[in-house]
Every structure is written in structure tokens, then in C-alpha cells.
Amino acid sequence: LEMYPAFGPAKTFQLNWMLHIIIRDVIGCWIICGVWDWFLYFGPLKDKLHKYKVNPVYPSRTQIKHDAFWSTSASVTAAGVEILLCYLWANGIVPMQTSLSENPLWLNIVLILTITHYRIPHFYIMHRAMHPWKTTSIPDLGKFFYKQVHSLHHKSYNPTAFSGTSMHPIESTLYYTAAFIPVAFGLHPVYAIAIIMDCGVGAWLGHDGFQWPGNGDYFHLLHHAHFDCNYGAMHVPLDWLFGTFAGSKEEVKKIWE
């Protein structure tokens, strides 16, 4: 197997190792999103699956093309985050473990199984900051961030898998910087890579728009439909803790009364 760039080749920025990461991420995006969207929206079982679609209206091809373009862009920014990390690791600018055996087995298992939990606070803070803050005591920068950056993601009001990372490059870069969480603790690069993968796959499958056989993330689909609620994820109760949880359309209005 080829040496992972963080263990040597990434000491200088060179296309030969950087392109491998970029191509891998883009192809992975298109395989997962493309195949899944084709199966749900264009495949031979499309009509039978329609009754499971949360929004019974199908998105336009224009929206799917739009989302595919920006999710491809986001995969490039994800690669950019990983490329930067590889450079920092290879040059000893940030510490890293060189072997998973430096941790006890039980810790490696826990760290892998809880990735989708300990990365969500980063997502909640970033996401909440890009919506209106609804405050008068300080300037509402959230309105600015929403208009200039996050509104692009919300053009996917009837989302598909390709909508998951259909983001402005600023937002997608910030989104994938969740990979820095294990870096702060000097962990093995596999954890940062796993977080990047979880950010991508979690977003793609979480936006597919179907209760079954899709992800059925009604929690986040409510956010796309009504905007001012459910900024995090159902399995990490930050929205409940900060009063931004909504389980129905009617509950959204109560949040801001």
C-alpha cells in the first residue's frame, strides 16, 4: 500500500499526492450521492418508493444539477482540509500518533463509534452562527452569514443526497474543519479522516428526503422547510438544551415567541 502522505510525502505540497486525495473525495461523493439519488428518484422502483418521500413533490433536475455541482465543490474543500492536515502532520507542526497501538484497544473502539457524537457540537455552533441570531444587544451577524453564505445550502428546500454538502465554499470548508477535533488531542490521522467521511456520508444520506429506505431524518428536513429550528442532530440533544428543538411545524413558531 502507498504510504499515507502525513507519514512523509506531504512535507511539501506536490500534485502527485494532493490529486489522489481530491480525486478520491470527488469520486466518493459521486458514487454515494449519484447512485443513491438515481435509485430513489430515477430507478425502476421510483414509483413504489414515492409513498415514503417526506415531501411528495419531486425536486427539479435543475436543483439536482445545482446541488451536484456544489457538493462536488465541497468534496474539493474537504480534500483541501485533509491536504492541509497532512502537511501539518508531515512537518511536525501538529503532533500525531503514528500507530493506533499507542491507544488501548477499548479507547480506539470508543473513539470510532462516537465520532458522529463528538463532532456534532462543532456542527451546531457553526450552523447556528449562520442563521439569524435574533438579538438586538449585539449586531446580528447571523443575518449577514445567512445571506452571503448559508442561503446557498437552503436553496435545496426539497433535498436529495446531493443536497447534503451543497454549500458555499466558505461553509463547506468550515464544515469539514470538524476534522481538527482529534488533531487537537494528537490522535492518529485515521480519526480526522473518519470525521471527514462521517461529515460527508452523514450529510448526504441525511438529506435524501425519504423515510424509507432512506435515512428518514425528519428532524433535519424540518430545518430545511422552516429554517429557524433543529440546527444540530437528533442524537446529540443540543437543540433541546438551547431551546431550538422543534418536532413539528407548529413547534417552530413557539421557539421564537
Side-chain angles (χ1 to χ4, degrees):
L1 291 174
E2 182 179 329
M3 180 186 293
Y4 184 65
F7 298 116
K11 287 186 177 179
T12 58
F13 291 114
Q14 295 181 359
L15 281 178
N16 59 344
W17 66 267
M18 294 164 61
L19 279 176
H20 288 181
I21 295 175
I22 295 169
I23 292 170
R24 180 203 66 200
D25 286 7
V26 170
I27 290 176
C29 170
W30 273 84
I31 289 175
I32 296 172
C33 296
V35 170
W36 196 231
D37 274 353
W38 174 85
F39 173 71
L40 294 174
Y41 291 95
F42 302 100
L45 297 179
K46 178 185 74 171
D47 294 336
K48 291 184 178 180
L49 295 175
H50 181 260
K51 61 184 176 182
Y52 300 111
K53 192 173 184 314
V54 177
N55 181 342
V57 179
Y58 275 53
S60 66
R61 287 178 181 263
T62 300
Q63 181 194 310
I64 293 175
K65 291 177 182 177
H66 168 275
D67 293 354
F69 173 83
W70 287 110
S71 269
T72 303
S73 166
S75 294
V76 174
T77 63
V81 170
E82 186 178 348
I83 287 167
L84 174 60
L85 283 174
C86 284
Y87 176 82
L88 296 175
W89 281 320
N91 286 283
I93 298 172
V94 294
M96 68 171 178
Q97 296 172 327
T98 57
S99 172
L100 288 172
S101 63
E102 294 179 45
N103 293 327
L105 178 60
W106 68 265
L107 181 57
N108 285 326
I109 293 173
V110 169
L111 288 172
I112 286 293
L113 293 180
T114 58
I115 275 175
T116 190
H117 295 81
Y118 61 75
R119 77 165 181 85
I120 289 299
H122 169 275
F123 172 61
Y124 181 91
I125 294 169
M126 182 205 86
H127 191 190
R128 181 66 190 91
M130 290 191 177
H131 278 263
W133 299 353
K134 298 182 183 294
T135 178
T136 56
S137 57
I138 58 175
D140 192 345
L141 296 179
K143 284 185 177 180
F144 173 81
F145 295 143
Y146 183 86
K147 182 178 180 181
Q148 300 298 327
V149 179
H150 191 51
S151 60
L152 189 151
H153 182 65
H154 274 280
K155 289 181 179 179
S156 310
Y157 65 91
N158 188 3
T160 75
F162 266 125
S163 307
T165 53
S166 176
M167 300 173 178
H168 188 287
I170 291 176
E171 179 175 3
S172 60
T173 301
L174 289 173
Y175 179 62
Y176 282 111
T177 56
F180 281 84
I181 295 171
V183 176
F185 299 95
L187 294 174
H188 193 279
V190 72
Y191 294 108
I193 299 167
I195 284 182
I196 290 173
M197 291 172 61
D198 187 65
C199 283
V201 175
W204 300 330
L205 300 186
H207 286 75
D208 63 20
F210 281 76
Q211 293 177 329
W212 186 89
N215 187 61
D217 192 354
Y218 183 71
F219 173 88
H220 192 69
L221 293 178
L222 270 176
H223 174 76
H224 271 265
H226 305 293
F227 304 99
D228 294 323
C229 64
N230 300 358
Y231 301 105
M234 191 71 175
H235 59 285
V236 180
L238 294 176
D239 284 283
W240 174 81
L241 181 64
F242 293 110
T244 53
F245 171 81
S248 66
K249 177 181 178 180
E250 291 70 30
E251 291 181 12
V252 178
K253 298 178 182 178
K254 295 179 182 179
I255 294 175
W256 304 109
E257 286 179 351

